[in-house]
Amino acid sequence: MFDTETEVVDYCKYIVKCLADENYCELESKGILEIVPEEDLKRVLKEYDKDKKITMPREKQFWERIDIIKYNNQTGYTVDIDVFLDNELSDLTLQVELLHNGKVTIEDLHVL
């Protein structure tokens, strides 16, 4: 799983879409919230700006510019994704780890 950067980007789109739809149950069921649970994500968003919600980036080129770092040991990737709130770029960054064995986790949501 996740043999190409295209597959990595597609799965990152899925994660951001779930966050935008506030579909935390879906992410939880796949183990994606194992490290950073729903409560922590909501807390960071509330502290940043309680009135705004995550939205999907509108421009197609956005996904071509995300930071994808391939691990030297060939086990997977870490990805930094700029977060859009109410269709505007924020200072928040979502960090996701995607391993070749199929394990995916949100590692952090922080101000960069």
Side-chain angles (χ1 to χ4, degrees):
M1 196 170 187
F2 309 118
D3 295 321
T4 68
E5 288 190 6
T6 300
E7 292 172 335
V8 169
V9 169
D10 287 345
Y11 209 82
C12 287
K13 287 178 185 177
Y14 162 75
I15 292 171
V16 172
K17 176 80 169 116
C18 285
L19 291 172
D21 292 343
E22 297 183 357
N23 190 353
Y24 294 100
C25 292
E26 176 87 10
L27 297 173
E28 181 69 38
S29 72
K30 296 184 180 301
I32 295 170
L33 301 180
E34 181 179 307
I35 294 174
V36 181
E38 175 182 349
E39 304 82 44
D40 289 351
L41 292 171
K42 287 181 175 180
R43 179 186 48 78
V44 170
L45 290 167
K46 183 179 178 183
E47 288 172 2
Y48 185 81
D49 189 330
K50 65 181 174 71
D51 296 324
K52 293 189 177 183
K53 303 222 182 287
I54 293 177
T55 51
M56 287 293 288
R58 290 185 174 182
E59 60 181 90
K60 187 176 182 176
Q61 298 86 352
F62 169 82
W63 294 103
E64 296 169 5
R65 298 187 310 261
I66 62 173
D67 287 332
I68 300 173
I69 300 163
K70 188 173 187 174
Y71 294 146
N72 289 335
N73 64 6
Q74 307 300 314
T75 58
Y77 305 85
T78 187
V79 183
D80 288 335
I81 306 166
D82 293 331
V83 175
F84 280 72
L85 298 176
D86 291 348
N87 298 313
E88 292 187 16
L89 184 60
S90 72
D91 292 332
L92 291 173
T93 299
L94 181 70
Q95 189 171 50
V96 178
E97 180 178 68
L98 302 97
L99 300 178
H100 289 305
N101 66 9
K103 184 165 178 63
V104 178
T105 52
I106 291 176
E107 299 288 310
D108 201 4
L109 176 63
H110 60 274
V111 176
L112 190 61

